[in-house]
Amino acid sequence: SAGKIGDELDLQVYAVGGFVRDLLLGTENLDIDITVEGDGILFAETFASRFGCRCKGHIKFGTAVIVFPDGFKIDVASTRLEYYETPAALPVVERSSLKMDLYRRDFTINTLAIQLNQSDFGLLIDYFGAQRDLQEQNIRVLHNLSFVEDPTRVFRAIRFEQRLGFHIARHTENLIKNAVKMDFLHKLGGKRLLSELVIIFKERDPFGAVERMANLGLLRFIHPVLKLDAMNRRLLEEVKPVISWFELLFLDRKYEKWVVYFLALCEILTHDEFIEVCKRLAVSEHYREKLAEMRRLGERVLDAFNRRGAKCRPLQPSEIYRLFNDLAVEVLLYLMARTKSEEAKKALSLYFTKLQGVHTILTGDDILALGVARGPMVGELLEQLLAARLNGAVMSRDDELNFIRQ
Ligand code: ATP
Protein backbone atom coordinates (compact mmCIF):
# COMPACT_ATOMS: atom_id res chain seq x y z
CA SER A 1 0.00 0.00 0.00
CA ALA A 2 2.97 2.35 0.52
CA GLY A 3 3.97 1.67 -3.06
CA LYS A 4 0.45 2.37 -4.32
CA ILE A 5 0.45 5.77 -2.66
CA GLY A 6 3.91 6.40 -4.11
CA ASP A 7 2.50 5.59 -7.57
CA GLU A 8 -0.45 7.95 -7.05
CA LEU A 9 1.88 10.77 -6.05
CA ASP A 10 4.40 9.84 -8.70
CA LEU A 11 7.09 9.29 -6.08
CA GLN A 12 9.63 6.47 -5.89
CA VAL A 13 9.31 4.78 -2.50
CA TYR A 14 11.81 2.37 -0.90
CA ALA A 15 12.25 0.39 2.28
CA VAL A 16 15.85 0.97 3.33
CA GLY A 17 18.54 0.38 5.93
CA GLY A 18 18.47 -1.96 8.92
CA PHE A 19 15.07 -3.37 8.02
CA VAL A 20 16.27 -4.63 4.63
CA ARG A 21 19.58 -5.84 6.11
CA ASP A 22 17.75 -7.89 8.72
CA LEU A 23 15.21 -9.13 6.19
CA LEU A 24 18.06 -10.62 4.17
CA LEU A 25 19.62 -12.04 7.31
CA GLY A 26 16.29 -13.54 8.37
CA THR A 27 16.29 -11.56 11.63
CA GLU A 28 13.14 -9.87 12.91
CA ASN A 29 13.27 -6.07 12.73
CA LEU A 30 10.15 -4.02 13.17
CA ASP A 31 11.89 -0.67 12.68
CA ILE A 32 10.72 0.15 9.20
CA ASP A 33 12.48 3.03 7.46
CA ILE A 34 11.07 4.33 4.22
CA THR A 35 12.94 6.64 1.91
CA VAL A 36 11.13 8.64 -0.74
CA GLU A 37 12.80 10.10 -3.78
CA GLY A 38 11.13 13.48 -3.59
CA ASP A 39 8.76 14.87 -0.97
CA GLY A 40 8.71 12.31 1.86
CA ILE A 41 6.47 14.46 4.02
CA LEU A 42 3.77 14.64 1.35
CA PHE A 43 3.99 10.85 1.04
CA ALA A 44 3.74 10.36 4.82
CA GLU A 45 0.79 12.73 5.16
CA THR A 46 -1.09 11.07 2.32
CA PHE A 47 -0.39 7.60 3.71
CA ALA A 48 -1.46 8.65 7.20
CA SER A 49 -4.74 10.18 6.10
CA ARG A 50 -5.57 7.14 3.94
CA PHE A 51 -4.93 4.61 6.72
CA GLY A 52 -6.16 6.50 9.79
CA CYS A 53 -2.66 7.13 11.14
CA ARG A 54 -1.13 10.23 12.66
CA CYS A 55 1.79 11.93 10.96
CA LYS A 56 4.48 14.18 12.41
CA GLY A 57 6.71 15.91 9.88
CA HIS A 58 9.98 17.81 10.24
CA ILE A 59 10.13 20.16 7.31
CA LYS A 60 13.72 21.13 8.10
CA PHE A 61 14.92 17.58 7.61
CA GLY A 62 12.34 16.38 5.13
CA THR A 63 11.43 13.55 7.51
CA ALA A 64 8.19 12.33 9.02
CA VAL A 65 6.91 9.65 11.37
CA ILE A 66 3.73 7.76 10.59
CA VAL A 67 2.09 6.53 13.78
CA PHE A 68 -0.55 3.78 13.52
CA PRO A 69 -3.46 3.67 16.01
CA ASP A 70 -1.77 0.79 17.88
CA GLY A 71 1.44 2.82 18.28
CA PHE A 72 3.39 1.12 15.48
CA LYS A 73 5.66 3.62 13.74
CA ILE A 74 7.22 4.00 10.34
CA ASP A 75 9.98 6.54 9.75
CA VAL A 76 9.92 8.32 6.42
CA ALA A 77 12.83 10.28 4.97
CA SER A 78 13.31 12.19 1.75
CA THR A 79 16.47 11.58 -0.20
CA ARG A 80 18.66 14.54 0.39
CA LEU A 81 22.18 15.57 -0.43
CA GLU A 82 22.87 18.24 2.14
CA TYR A 83 21.19 21.17 3.73
CA TYR A 84 22.82 24.56 3.61
CA GLU A 85 22.30 27.27 6.13
CA THR A 86 22.58 30.66 4.50
CA PRO A 87 22.47 33.68 6.82
CA ALA A 88 18.97 34.64 7.89
CA ALA A 89 17.39 31.87 5.86
CA LEU A 90 15.89 28.52 6.76
CA PRO A 91 18.10 25.58 5.93
CA VAL A 92 17.47 24.27 2.48
CA VAL A 93 17.28 20.59 1.89
CA GLU A 94 18.57 19.78 -1.51
CA ARG A 95 16.96 16.74 -3.02
CA SER A 96 19.18 14.05 -4.35
CA SER A 97 18.92 10.56 -5.73
CA LEU A 98 18.50 7.39 -3.73
CA LYS A 99 22.05 6.41 -4.57
CA MET A 100 23.52 9.60 -3.12
CA ASP A 101 21.34 9.18 -0.07
CA LEU A 102 22.53 5.62 0.53
CA TYR A 103 26.13 6.69 0.02
CA ARG A 104 25.86 8.84 3.15
CA ARG A 105 25.20 5.82 5.32
CA ASP A 106 27.59 4.19 7.73
CA PHE A 107 28.28 0.71 6.35
CA THR A 108 27.61 -1.15 3.14
CA ILE A 109 25.30 -3.62 4.88
CA ASN A 110 22.99 -0.70 5.69
CA THR A 111 22.76 0.56 2.12
CA LEU A 112 20.25 -1.91 0.71
CA ALA A 113 16.88 -0.69 -0.54
CA ILE A 114 13.75 -2.47 -1.69
CA GLN A 115 11.51 -0.75 -4.22
CA LEU A 116 7.91 -0.53 -3.01
CA ASN A 117 6.23 0.99 -6.09
CA GLN A 118 3.91 -1.48 -7.71
CA SER A 119 5.63 -1.80 -11.07
CA ASP A 120 8.93 -2.88 -9.46
CA PHE A 121 7.66 -4.07 -6.13
CA GLY A 122 10.27 -6.06 -4.24
CA LEU A 123 13.20 -5.09 -6.45
CA LEU A 124 16.38 -5.23 -4.34
CA ILE A 125 18.69 -2.31 -4.96
CA ASP A 126 22.33 -2.82 -4.03
CA TYR A 127 24.67 -0.04 -5.17
CA PHE A 128 27.59 -0.72 -2.85
CA GLY A 129 28.11 -4.46 -2.65
CA ALA A 130 25.96 -4.94 0.43
CA GLN A 131 24.83 -8.44 -0.48
CA ARG A 132 28.40 -9.60 -0.86
CA ASP A 133 29.32 -8.08 2.52
CA LEU A 134 26.31 -9.69 4.14
CA GLN A 135 27.38 -13.01 2.69
CA GLU A 136 31.01 -12.56 3.70
CA GLN A 137 29.94 -11.09 7.04
CA ASN A 138 31.87 -7.86 6.61
CA ILE A 139 31.35 -4.50 8.24
CA ARG A 140 32.72 -2.08 5.67
CA VAL A 141 32.56 1.70 5.36
CA LEU A 142 31.71 3.34 2.08
CA HIS A 143 34.65 5.71 1.91
CA ASN A 144 37.91 6.57 3.66
CA LEU A 145 36.66 9.66 5.47
CA SER A 146 33.70 7.91 7.04
CA PHE A 147 35.04 7.90 10.62
CA VAL A 148 36.40 11.42 10.33
CA GLU A 149 33.01 12.59 9.17
CA ASP A 150 31.27 10.90 12.07
CA PRO A 151 33.31 9.17 14.79
CA THR A 152 30.21 7.55 16.31
CA ARG A 153 30.47 5.11 13.42
CA VAL A 154 33.46 3.53 15.17
CA PHE A 155 31.14 2.42 17.97
CA ARG A 156 28.41 1.47 15.51
CA ALA A 157 30.90 -0.73 13.63
CA ILE A 158 31.76 -2.58 16.82
CA ARG A 159 28.11 -2.92 17.77
CA PHE A 160 27.11 -4.43 14.41
CA GLU A 161 30.19 -6.66 14.37
CA GLN A 162 29.37 -8.11 17.78
CA ARG A 163 25.63 -8.31 17.32
CA LEU A 164 25.70 -9.97 13.93
CA GLY A 165 28.82 -12.03 14.58
CA PHE A 166 30.47 -10.30 11.58
CA HIS A 167 33.97 -8.84 11.41
CA ILE A 168 35.10 -5.33 10.66
CA ALA A 169 36.82 -5.53 7.26
CA ARG A 170 40.59 -5.03 7.31
CA HIS A 171 40.66 -1.68 5.57
CA THR A 172 37.81 -0.40 7.71
CA GLU A 173 39.64 -1.52 10.85
CA ASN A 174 42.74 0.32 9.67
CA LEU A 175 40.64 3.45 9.22
CA ILE A 176 39.43 3.06 12.80
CA LYS A 177 43.01 2.65 14.04
CA ASN A 178 43.96 5.73 12.12
CA ALA A 179 41.10 7.76 13.58
CA VAL A 180 42.20 6.61 17.05
CA LYS A 181 45.82 7.51 16.35
CA MET A 182 44.85 10.93 15.05
CA ASP A 183 42.69 11.52 18.15
CA PHE A 184 39.57 12.19 16.08
CA LEU A 185 37.43 10.64 18.75
CA HIS A 186 38.14 13.48 21.16
CA LYS A 187 35.92 15.56 18.90
CA LEU A 188 32.99 13.35 19.69
CA GLY A 189 30.51 15.14 21.97
CA GLY A 190 29.69 13.60 25.34
CA LYS A 191 26.01 13.13 24.60
CA ARG A 192 26.61 11.19 21.39
CA LEU A 193 29.34 9.11 22.99
CA LEU A 194 27.08 8.23 25.90
CA SER A 195 24.23 7.35 23.61
CA GLU A 196 26.48 4.94 21.64
CA LEU A 197 27.67 3.34 24.88
CA VAL A 198 24.12 3.00 26.15
CA ILE A 199 23.06 1.26 22.94
CA ILE A 200 26.04 -1.10 23.22
CA PHE A 201 25.21 -1.85 26.85
CA LYS A 202 21.63 -2.64 25.86
CA GLU A 203 22.74 -5.30 23.38
CA ARG A 204 22.23 -8.94 24.28
CA ASP A 205 25.88 -9.52 25.13
CA PRO A 206 27.87 -6.27 25.49
CA PHE A 207 31.08 -7.83 26.77
CA GLY A 208 32.54 -8.60 23.35
CA ALA A 209 31.97 -4.99 22.29
CA VAL A 210 33.68 -3.64 25.40
CA GLU A 211 36.62 -5.94 24.77
CA ARG A 212 36.81 -4.74 21.18
CA MET A 213 36.63 -1.13 22.33
CA ALA A 214 39.48 -1.79 24.74
CA ASN A 215 41.61 -3.54 22.10
CA LEU A 216 41.11 -0.72 19.62
CA GLY A 217 42.15 1.82 22.27
CA LEU A 218 38.76 3.52 22.48
CA LEU A 219 38.33 3.52 26.24
CA ARG A 220 40.78 6.38 26.69
CA PHE A 221 38.36 8.64 24.83
CA ILE A 222 35.96 8.07 27.68
CA HIS A 223 38.61 8.62 30.36
CA PRO A 224 42.42 8.50 30.19
CA VAL A 225 42.74 5.88 32.94
CA LEU A 226 39.81 3.71 31.86
CA LYS A 227 40.93 0.28 30.75
CA LEU A 228 39.92 -3.34 30.79
CA ASP A 229 41.95 -5.12 33.45
CA ALA A 230 41.55 -8.47 35.17
CA MET A 231 39.17 -6.97 37.72
CA ASN A 232 36.56 -5.24 35.60
CA ARG A 233 36.91 -7.87 32.88
CA ARG A 234 35.83 -10.56 35.35
CA LEU A 235 33.06 -8.30 36.58
CA LEU A 236 31.76 -7.46 33.10
CA GLU A 237 31.69 -11.16 32.24
CA GLU A 238 29.84 -11.87 35.45
CA VAL A 239 27.10 -9.31 34.70
CA LYS A 240 25.56 -11.33 31.87
CA PRO A 241 24.53 -14.43 33.87
CA VAL A 242 23.26 -12.21 36.67
CA ILE A 243 21.12 -10.25 34.23
CA SER A 244 19.84 -13.40 32.52
CA TRP A 245 18.84 -14.77 35.92
CA PHE A 246 17.10 -11.54 36.85
CA GLU A 247 15.25 -11.14 33.55
CA LEU A 248 14.03 -14.72 33.64
CA LEU A 249 12.72 -14.22 37.14
CA PHE A 250 11.15 -10.79 36.62
CA LEU A 251 10.12 -10.71 32.98
CA ASP A 252 8.38 -7.35 33.01
CA ARG A 253 10.47 -5.49 35.55
CA LYS A 254 11.66 -2.16 34.17
CA TYR A 255 15.29 -1.37 34.88
CA GLU A 256 18.27 0.20 33.14
CA LYS A 257 20.48 -2.65 32.04
CA TRP A 258 23.06 -0.26 30.67
CA VAL A 259 23.63 1.19 34.14
CA VAL A 260 24.70 -2.22 35.47
CA TYR A 261 27.30 -2.52 32.70
CA PHE A 262 28.36 1.09 33.10
CA LEU A 263 28.97 0.63 36.83
CA ALA A 264 30.89 -2.56 36.09
CA LEU A 265 33.06 -0.91 33.45
CA CYS A 266 33.84 1.95 35.85
CA GLU A 267 34.56 -0.29 38.81
CA ILE A 268 38.29 0.42 38.68
CA LEU A 269 37.82 4.19 38.88
CA THR A 270 38.07 6.37 41.97
CA HIS A 271 35.14 8.56 42.90
CA ASP A 272 36.73 11.61 41.28
CA GLU A 273 37.53 9.70 38.10
CA PHE A 274 33.98 8.38 37.97
CA ILE A 275 32.66 11.93 38.20
CA GLU A 276 35.02 12.94 35.39
CA VAL A 277 33.69 10.12 33.21
CA CYS A 278 30.14 11.27 33.84
CA LYS A 279 31.12 14.82 32.92
CA ARG A 280 32.84 13.61 29.74
CA LEU A 281 29.65 11.75 28.83
CA ALA A 282 27.51 14.81 29.58
CA VAL A 283 25.48 12.90 32.15
CA SER A 284 23.20 15.44 33.84
CA GLU A 285 24.35 16.61 37.26
CA HIS A 286 21.31 15.06 38.88
CA TYR A 287 21.88 11.64 37.33
CA ARG A 288 25.63 11.87 37.91
CA GLU A 289 25.00 12.29 41.64
CA LYS A 290 22.55 9.43 41.57
CA LEU A 291 25.06 7.11 39.92
CA ALA A 292 27.83 8.17 42.31
CA GLU A 293 25.52 7.54 45.23
CA MET A 294 24.70 4.08 43.84
CA ARG A 295 28.40 3.29 43.78
CA ARG A 296 28.92 4.60 47.30
CA LEU A 297 26.02 2.72 48.84
CA GLY A 298 26.92 -0.44 46.99
CA GLU A 299 30.46 -0.20 48.29
CA ARG A 300 29.23 0.23 51.82
CA VAL A 301 26.98 -2.80 51.65
CA LEU A 302 29.72 -5.03 50.26
CA ASP A 303 32.11 -3.78 52.95
CA ALA A 304 29.57 -4.73 55.56
CA PHE A 305 29.53 -8.27 54.18
CA ASN A 306 33.28 -8.50 53.80
CA ARG A 307 33.84 -7.44 57.39
CA ARG A 308 31.64 -10.22 58.67
CA GLY A 309 33.74 -13.13 59.85
CA ALA A 310 33.00 -16.74 59.01
CA LYS A 311 31.87 -17.31 62.59
CA CYS A 312 29.16 -14.63 62.46
CA ARG A 313 25.63 -15.90 62.73
CA PRO A 314 23.78 -15.72 59.41
CA LEU A 315 21.92 -12.47 58.79
CA GLN A 316 18.21 -12.53 59.49
CA PRO A 317 15.97 -11.85 56.48
CA SER A 318 14.88 -8.58 58.11
CA GLU A 319 18.52 -7.46 58.32
CA ILE A 320 19.06 -8.35 54.68
CA TYR A 321 15.95 -6.42 53.75
CA ARG A 322 17.20 -3.36 55.62
CA LEU A 323 20.57 -3.55 53.88
CA PHE A 324 19.20 -3.76 50.37
CA ASN A 325 15.84 -2.09 50.39
CA ASP A 326 17.14 1.42 49.71
CA LEU A 327 19.31 0.30 46.79
CA ALA A 328 18.22 0.56 43.16
CA VAL A 329 17.81 -2.70 41.24
CA GLU A 330 20.77 -1.73 39.03
CA VAL A 331 23.12 -1.54 42.03
CA LEU A 332 21.86 -4.80 43.46
CA LEU A 333 22.57 -6.56 40.16
CA TYR A 334 25.98 -4.88 39.99
CA LEU A 335 26.74 -6.08 43.53
CA MET A 336 25.57 -9.57 42.72
CA ALA A 337 28.00 -9.72 39.82
CA ARG A 338 30.72 -8.09 41.83
CA THR A 339 30.74 -9.86 45.16
CA LYS A 340 32.81 -12.96 45.68
CA SER A 341 31.14 -13.61 49.01
CA GLU A 342 28.77 -16.57 48.82
CA GLU A 343 26.88 -15.16 51.78
CA ALA A 344 26.32 -11.85 49.96
CA LYS A 345 25.21 -13.63 46.80
CA LYS A 346 22.73 -15.74 48.73
CA ALA A 347 21.44 -12.69 50.58
CA LEU A 348 20.91 -10.79 47.33
CA SER A 349 19.15 -13.73 45.79
CA LEU A 350 16.91 -14.10 48.84
CA TYR A 351 16.12 -10.39 48.72
CA PHE A 352 15.10 -10.54 45.07
CA THR A 353 13.09 -13.74 45.29
CA LYS A 354 11.44 -13.50 48.71
CA LEU A 355 11.92 -10.23 50.53
CA GLN A 356 11.43 -7.27 48.22
CA GLY A 357 7.87 -6.06 48.16
CA VAL A 358 6.94 -7.78 51.45
CA HIS A 359 4.68 -5.59 53.55
CA THR A 360 2.58 -5.82 56.65
CA ILE A 361 -1.17 -6.35 56.45
CA LEU A 362 -1.87 -3.92 59.29
CA THR A 363 -1.51 -0.23 58.58
CA GLY A 364 -0.71 2.70 60.85
CA ASP A 365 -4.45 3.33 61.22
CA ASP A 366 -5.01 -0.27 62.36
CA ILE A 367 -2.35 0.20 65.01
CA LEU A 368 -3.93 3.45 66.21
CA ALA A 369 -7.28 1.64 66.36
CA LEU A 370 -5.67 -0.88 68.71
CA GLY A 371 -5.15 1.96 71.18
CA VAL A 372 -1.54 2.90 70.50
CA ALA A 373 -1.02 6.64 70.95
CA ARG A 374 -0.29 8.67 67.84
CA GLY A 375 3.47 9.32 67.57
CA PRO A 376 6.79 7.69 66.65
CA MET A 377 5.76 4.49 68.41
CA VAL A 378 3.41 3.67 65.53
CA GLY A 379 6.25 3.73 63.02
CA GLU A 380 8.47 1.65 65.29
CA LEU A 381 5.79 -0.96 65.73
CA LEU A 382 5.20 -1.14 61.98
CA GLU A 383 8.91 -1.65 61.47
CA GLN A 384 9.07 -4.41 64.08
CA LEU A 385 6.01 -5.99 62.53
CA LEU A 386 7.61 -5.95 59.10
CA ALA A 387 10.78 -7.49 60.52
CA ALA A 388 8.72 -10.22 62.17
CA ARG A 389 6.92 -10.90 58.92
CA LEU A 390 10.19 -11.02 56.94
CA ASN A 391 11.63 -13.45 59.48
CA GLY A 392 8.56 -15.65 59.28
CA ALA A 393 7.49 -14.96 62.87
CA VAL A 394 4.08 -13.66 61.77
CA MET A 395 2.18 -15.03 58.81
CA SER A 396 -1.41 -13.84 59.04
CA ARG A 397 -3.41 -10.79 60.10
CA ASP A 398 -4.22 -12.48 63.41
CA ASP A 399 -0.52 -13.10 64.00
CA GLU A 400 0.11 -9.42 63.37
CA LEU A 401 -2.66 -8.36 65.76
CA ASN A 402 -1.24 -10.66 68.46
CA PHE A 403 2.24 -9.31 67.83
CA ILE A 404 1.08 -5.73 68.43
CA ARG A 405 -0.99 -6.63 71.46
CA GLN A 406 1.96 -8.31 73.22
P1 ATP B 1 19.35 -1.12 14.83
O1 ATP B 1 18.92 -2.50 14.55
O2 ATP B 1 20.43 -1.03 15.87
O3 ATP B 1 18.26 -0.14 15.02
P2 ATP B 1 19.73 0.19 12.34
O4 ATP B 1 20.59 -0.16 11.18
O5 ATP B 1 18.27 0.23 12.12
O6 ATP B 1 20.13 -0.77 13.50
P3 ATP B 1 19.68 2.92 13.26
O7 ATP B 1 20.60 3.47 14.29
O8 ATP B 1 18.24 2.81 13.58
O9 ATP B 1 20.32 1.53 12.85
O10 ATP B 1 19.88 3.75 11.94
C1 ATP B 1 19.06 3.59 10.80
C2 ATP B 1 19.91 3.71 9.54
O11 ATP B 1 20.49 5.02 9.50
C3 ATP B 1 21.07 2.72 9.53
O12 ATP B 1 20.73 1.58 8.79
C4 ATP B 1 22.20 3.49 8.92
O13 ATP B 1 22.31 3.24 7.56
C5 ATP B 1 21.84 4.95 9.10
N1 ATP B 1 22.69 5.57 10.13
C6 ATP B 1 22.48 5.63 11.45
N2 ATP B 1 23.47 6.26 12.08
C7 ATP B 1 24.34 6.61 11.13
C8 ATP B 1 25.59 7.31 11.15
N3 ATP B 1 26.15 7.74 12.28
N4 ATP B 1 26.21 7.50 9.96
C9 ATP B 1 25.65 7.08 8.81
N5 ATP B 1 24.51 6.41 8.73
C10 ATP B 1 23.84 6.18 9.88
Side-chain angles (χ1 to χ4, degrees):
S1 43
K4 209 165 157 194
I5 287 173
D7 290 343
E8 284 171 29
L9 298 171
D10 199 19
L11 295 168
Q12 300 297 306
V13 180
Y14 309 90
V16 292
F19 172 75
V20 184
R21 175 197 70 219
D22 289 341
L23 192 70
L24 263 71
L25 289 173
T27 316
E28 185 174 76
N29 185 341
L30 298 176
D31 285 340
I32 299 182
D33 287 310
I34 283 183
T35 288
V36 176
E37 246 173 338
D39 191 345
I41 297 183
L42 173 67
F43 165 83
E45 282 170 347
T46 312
F47 184 99
S49 69
R50 192 75 54 83
F51 293 100
C53 308
R54 283 183 300 123
C55 173
K56 270 188 297 193
H58 291 273
I59 295 175
K60 183 172 164 183
F61 298 112
T63 58
V65 186
I66 299 171
V67 187
F68 285 75
D70 64 358
F72 183 76
K73 289 179 186 165
I74 295 180
D75 285 312
V76 179
S78 316
T79 53
R80 61 177 195 269
L81 184 58
E82 199 48 282
Y83 46 89
Y84 305 100
E85 241 159 317
T86 52
L90 281 171
V92 183
V93 178
E94 189 178 295
R95 301 246 163 85
S96 79
S97 66
L98 177 71
K99 186 171 180 181
M100 284 305 287
D101 187 83
L102 294 172
Y103 185 66
R104 290 168 41 251
R105 289 176 185 253
D106 45 7
F107 309 112
T108 55
I109 56 165
N110 290 333
T111 60
L112 285 166
I114 294 177
Q115 179 98 39
L116 298 179
N117 296 76
Q118 282 174 311
S119 54
D120 287 314
F121 185 84
L123 178 73
L124 184 66
I125 299 165
D126 180 5
Y127 289 120
F128 306 107
Q131 290 175 92
R132 193 195 57 219
D133 281 333
L134 278 179
Q135 227 148 41
E136 294 175 5
Q137 308 195 316
N138 279 328
I139 307 294
R140 187 195 305 278
V141 285
L142 282 104
H143 57 84
N144 288 350
L145 290 179
S146 193
F147 295 119
V148 180
E149 220 170 74
D150 181 356
T152 59
R153 291 175 187 162
V154 171
F155 296 91
R156 291 179 62 85
I158 291 174
R159 174 153 61 87
F160 285 123
E161 180 188 63
Q162 297 298 316
R163 184 203 295 172
L164 303 175
F166 282 23
H167 39 259
I168 297 173
R170 186 168 332 140
H171 181 59
T172 298
E173 187 166 324
N174 284 337
L175 293 173
I176 293 181
K177 288 179 178 158
N178 212 34
V180 168
K181 207 158 67 195
M182 310 277 278
D183 275 347
F184 283 128
L185 275 86
H186 277 311
K187 285 197 307 191
L188 191 55
K191 247 195 171 130
R192 295 195 72 202
L193 181 51
L194 175 64
S195 108
E196 288 306 322
L197 288 179
V198 169
I199 302 177
I200 284 176
F201 289 153
K202 283 182 175 170
E203 291 280 317
R204 207 168 38 85
D205 187 6
F207 179 70
V210 177
E211 197 162 44
R212 196 75 160 107
M213 276 160 47
N215 289 341
L216 287 167
L218 300 178
L219 296 181
R220 75 179 165 92
F221 296 102
I222 303 172
H223 191 282
V225 305
L226 194 61
K227 60 177 192 288
L228 202 55
D229 68 9
M231 196 153 75
N232 59 356
R233 175 187 294 272
R234 184 204 72 85
L235 177 53
L236 281 162
E237 277 178 311
E238 204 54 46
V239 170
K240 191 183 169 198
V242 165
I243 281 186
S244 305
W245 170 83
F246 175 76
E247 289 187 351
L248 202 65
L249 215 58
F250 304 102
L251 285 180
D252 296 324
R253 182 89 175 255
K254 294 262 177 298
Y255 79 109
E256 297 287 359
K257 174 173 143 178
W258 74 268
V259 171
V260 188
Y261 275 100
F262 182 62
L263 291 173
L265 176 68
C266 295
E267 186 206 11
I268 55 171
L269 302 181
T270 64
H271 172 76
D272 288 347
E273 288 163 352
F274 182 74
I275 295 294
E276 282 161 16
V277 165
C278 291
K279 285 185 178 164
R280 163 68 178 112
L281 297 175
V283 174
S284 71
E285 192 181 338
H286 172 74
Y287 206 56
R288 188 168 77 215
E289 288 309 316
K290 205 167 139 178
L291 289 169
E293 175 74 359
M294 284 190 194
R295 267 168 56 100
R296 226 177 353 247
L297 287 176
E299 210 60 46
R300 206 172 301 157
V301 168
L302 277 198
D303 275 353
F305 269 102
N306 292 338
R307 274 199 310 272
R308 289 170 56 77
K311 286 203 197 105
C312 286
R313 64 165 177 79
L315 284 172
Q316 297 255 44
S318 58
E319 293 169 301
I320 293 172
Y321 179 90
R322 216 173 311 129
L323 269 179
F324 295 145
N325 199 44
D326 289 334
L327 300 185
V329 167
E330 291 82 359
V331 196
L332 293 173
L333 294 173
Y334 163 66
L335 294 182
M336 206 157 180
R338 185 166 160 195
T339 185
K340 290 189 183 123
S341 146
E342 276 310 311
E343 192 198 0
K345 268 196 210 305
K346 270 197 205 136
L348 280 156
S349 163
L350 181 74
Y351 175 78
F352 271 123
T353 53
K354 299 256 163 63
L355 308 181
Q356 62 170 348
V358 167
H359 50 81
T360 58
I361 297 174
L362 296 185
T363 64
D365 283 343
D366 294 328
I367 290 177
L368 289 173
L370 286 170
V372 176
R374 192 176 289 278
M377 189 61 179
V378 178
E380 275 165 39
L381 280 171
L382 275 174
E383 215 165 281
Q384 287 174 23
L385 196 56
L386 179 63
R389 183 167 268 281
L390 288 161
N391 295 337
V394 301
M395 315 284 270
S396 63
R397 189 168 194 277
D398 281 347
D399 288 350
E400 290 196 359
L401 286 169
N402 288 335
F403 182 89
I404 297 294
R405 284 190 188 117
Q406 276 166 18

